Amino acid sequence: MAERNPLVIANWKLNGGIDLLCTSVAAFIGKHFETDIAICPPYIYMRDMLNFLQHSEIIVGSQNISKYASGAYTGETSAKMVKQAGGGLCLIGHSERRQMFGESNASCQIKVNQALEVNLMPILCIGENLQQRDAGVTKDVLFKQLEETLGEIECSGEQLCVAYEPVWAIGTGKAASPDDAQNIHAYIRCQLASIKGEDFAEKVRILYGGSVNKDNAADLLKNKDIDGLLVGGASLDAEHFMQICKVADAN
Ligand code: 13P
């Protein structure tokens, strides 16, 4: 069976300033973790964080990338720019971008390709909203997101991650239960096997996100198809984020 090293990502969203962000990860400097740990600050802070964290193992990533490689696209930042700045990964299709900034499966597909082209690891975020969950169409929504985004993409399972973030769990304090999350992750892996093949599905890391905190991280990570966590609010608290990473390491 493929070894999937755990990955914990902090998504700092539109939070700052730089002092708070440095405080959140200062304790990681000089420490070794088996778990892969990444932070996604606002673009403007990426370089500062890379400098601040140069004696740490933390990967710095972006929360988005442009679907364009270059040109007259005011306000955009390309995958290549993120890579050149020292970025190692990028979130794509976060539900906040889908809800508020018109991100679609089609634009996610383009962005995943842009990222892969410059060797930046895409973290494709998928998830159902409350209405879809209540209507019992969660699996249909997830399948469509995976199929429409990854169906035509050529890459191996190690080059990309999927983050399952149920929209109703984001910022609400109501995380999916570990059993429910495991069931959905197993479904995602199974569908990825049908879309991309067994080898891809076996190697791809599937992260859970949505109200992760230091108290629920261990129970989530115990499950065989939960390969890591995408953490919002709790990642801004230095002690909480360190605890979550320690739990991932002990898993
Ligand atoms: P919370 O952990 O604050 O629920 O946010 C999750 C998220 O959106 C991470 O991308």
Side-chain angles (χ1 to χ4, degrees), residues 12 18 21 39-54 58-65 77-91 120:
W12 284 342
I18 193 69
L21 300 182
I39 53 162
C40 295
Y43 290 124
I44 193 78
Y45 296 139
M46 284 183 69
R47 270 289 170 90
D48 299 295
M49 295 313 300
L50 277 157
N51 286 336
F52 184 69
L53 292 169
Q54 59 182 304
I58 292 190
I59 301 160
V60 176
S62 65
Q63 299 170 17
N64 184 29
I65 51 166
T77 300
S78 71
K80 190 172 176 184
M81 290 169 184
V82 170
K83 182 73 184 178
Q84 280 179 341
L89 54 79
C90 59
L91 306 183
L120 187 66

Side-chain angles (χ1 to χ4, degrees), residues 11 13 91 94 96 165 169-173 209-212 230-234:
N11 176 8
K13 308 192 181 186
L91 306 183
H94 190 280
E96 286 151 17
E165 295 206 297
I170 295 178
T172 59
S211 294
V212 171
L230 180 48
V231 190

Side-chain angles (χ1 to χ4, degrees), residues 8 24 27-28 33 35 37 212-218 221 229 231 234-235 237-251:
V8 175
S24 309
F28 286 84
F33 284 83
T35 300
I37 300 169
V212 171
N213 59 41
K214 66 178 170 52
D215 301 319
N216 60 20
L221 286 169
L229 302 167
V231 190
S235 71
D237 180 303
E239 193 234 310
H240 278 243
F241 190 56
M242 179 57 88
Q243 265 315 110
I244 291 168
C245 293
K246 282 186 178 162
V247 160
D249 240 32
N251 191 49

Side-chain angles (χ1 to χ4, degrees), residues 15-174:
N15 290 297
I18 193 69
D19 294 352
L20 169 72
L21 300 182
C22 287
T23 309
S24 309
V25 283
F28 286 84
I29 294 169
K31 287 224 171 67
H32 172 69
F33 284 83
E34 294 299 327
T35 300
D36 295 327
I37 300 169
I39 53 162
C40 295
Y43 290 124
I44 193 78
Y45 296 139
M46 284 183 69
R47 270 289 170 90
D48 299 295
M49 295 313 300
L50 277 157
N51 286 336
F52 184 69
L53 292 169
Q54 59 182 304
H55 299 296
S56 81
E57 298 171 344
I58 292 190
I59 301 160
V60 176
S62 65
Q63 299 170 17
N64 184 29
I65 51 166
S66 177
K67 65 178 181 177
Y68 302 107
S70 67
Y73 302 105
T74 302
E76 293 287 274
T77 300
S78 71
K80 190 172 176 184
M81 290 169 184
V82 170
K83 182 73 184 178
Q84 280 179 341
L89 54 79
C90 59
L91 306 183
I92 293 178
H94 190 280
S95 68
E96 286 151 17
R97 298 215 59 86
R98 292 178 190 262
Q99 283 176 303
M100 293 181 269
F101 302 100
E103 192 82 271
S104 64
N105 294 335
S107 60
C108 287
Q109 185 205 38
I110 297 169
K111 291 180 179 191
V112 168
N113 260 326
Q114 292 280 350
L116 290 171
E117 259 172 39
V118 297
N119 211 11
L120 187 66
M121 180 181 273
I123 314 294
L124 175 67
C125 304
I126 60 171
E128 81 287 2
N129 63 30
L130 189 57
Q131 215 182 0
Q132 291 161 335
R133 183 195 188 211
D134 288 347
V137 296
T138 295
K139 289 185 174 173
D140 302 329
V141 170
L142 299 176
F143 180 76
K144 194 168 151 65
Q145 289 174 330
L146 291 172
E147 225 271 325
E148 291 187 2
T149 311
L150 299 180
E152 308 287 308
I153 301 272
E154 297 211 359
C155 71
S156 69
E158 296 114 317
Q159 285 176 283
L160 174 144
C161 298
V162 171
Y164 169 57
E165 295 206 297
V167 181
W168 47 267
I170 295 178
T172 59
K174 291 184 200 146

